[in-house]
Amino acid sequence: MASSDVNHLSQPCIYGDFVSSYGERKSRLTKWLTKLFKGGSSGRRGGSGASRSHPQLIGDENMAWRVPIRSLDGCPRSQREEDELEHAIALSRAEDLRRPGGHRWRTDHDEEIARALQDGRNLPFYSPHAPAHRRPHIPRLRPPPAHPHHPWEYKICGSCKGEIRYGNYLGCMGTYFHPQCFRCHACDLPITENEFSLSGRDPYHKICFKERAHPKCDVCRQFIPTNQDGLIEYRCHPFWSQKYCPAHEHDATARCCSCERLESWDSRHVSVGDGRSICIECFESAIMDTGDCQPIYHAIRDFFEGMNMKIDQQIPMLLVERQALNEAIVGERSGLHHMPETRGLCLSEEQTVACVRRRPRIGGRQLFGMTTQPQRLSRRCEVTAILVLFGLPRLLTGAILAHELMHGWLRLKGYRDLNPDVEEGICQVLSHMWLESEVMPGSRGMPSTSAASSSYSSSSKKGGSSSVENKLGEFFMHQIVNDASPAYGGGFRTANAAVNKFGLRRTLDHIRLTGSFP
């Protein structure tokens, strides 16, 4: 969330209801005026000059108001209505005064009027035509004074900015809202629950805030649960930023053998058949048999030749299954192998290896119909063959080939008994350089092999790599740079620093003479 201040409130709102609204008071005042007018009409039926000697009851049998001795028929109509309105207002205020807990407007003359109404004999009679200085003062209604809790004070809605005149209202964060105006910042629907969440000053339904802020697992698509301390704990891939529940590391969830992403429940991986699985994105450009691998093998040899590192001997290259590669590692007397899994090997011993001759077909989520053929490798030079694990994406297959071809080039050129950190480090530099030429053509002035290998890359049929394949290439480069092993990781970083400073040719010459990096 953009805001770091998130509050979860339980019953935070102040609910109110405006009583004695303007409409109610107007209705009540109209009734009183009607009774007054009816009383005046009945008085006139007895004669225009007749007078009343007993009190007239107006609106309440327990409250009396003396009718003036003089008839009002002789007064102008406007004057009579004004006087009757003043009388009705005085009665209304007297009723408010008698009501316990009632709401009214208070003026400086409240006590004077209350006493006069309780004792009708003390309220002086007057003629509407008497001089102004002889008339008693009956105050008119004035606007209510400002008071934070006065029921007649109109509040301003914090959302629509309109006045809250009557009905229920909500109070939150020192602001008032119409109930329909207090809305969730995510779904824009009114918040009617007693509990809601706040992010800064933005309110949310609790479920909306959870959808917005609580991380979801990229594997099971559920909210990542909290641990025993009430904290959200999850794992996150350092490159892909794939977040997942810690339990998926131990519940046999499949992991792609190429990009290392876990298999999500809504996007299944393809089983290669030797215990490995591969995601759909990596499978789209996977190299599945030895025939498919030949174009990229020759393209990488051309890449070496373009850097004045021509390989004179024709080294056999075979695509093999995991079991055949592991058997070849056991038969090799020397050499350092990348753990936890070796995906390529440069052989120097004579062996018989089963290579993949015909690519398998995919059926559902399984591969079937793969054909292997044993091949005897004779030693005609210091290198007998290069083996690469089948079923890996084009860029990863090429990176492995570049690494193993560098091993072959070193042996063919007489680089003997090198320290593993030096040999594996400089081979990783060549692998990284080839990936860099594919993902970022023109970097370091190196030639790209995309044109030569585009014939078998399904993602590069239009003459270039797709954004998905480029992202995979960036990941493989990230793996090389951040490898934690001393030989492959530490050796690469030392070798790469030397190549960046002195160049590849001077670094190789120094290794030939001293067996170490300059």
Side-chain angles (χ1 to χ4, degrees), residues 14 445 460 480 489 493:
I14 304 169
S460 57
I480 294 173
R493 288 183 281 274

Side-chain angles (χ1 to χ4, degrees), residues 43-52 68-74:
R44 285 193 293 270
R45 289 192 189 99
S48 60
S51 64
R52 315 278 295 222
I69 296 175
R70 290 188 55 182
S71 172
L72 300 180
D73 289 345

Side-chain angles (χ1 to χ4, degrees), residues 98-110:
R98 295 175 56 226
R99 181 184 304 161
H103 301 289
R104 64 189 184 88
W105 294 341
R106 183 175 180 84
T107 71
D108 297 336
H109 304 277
D110 283 350

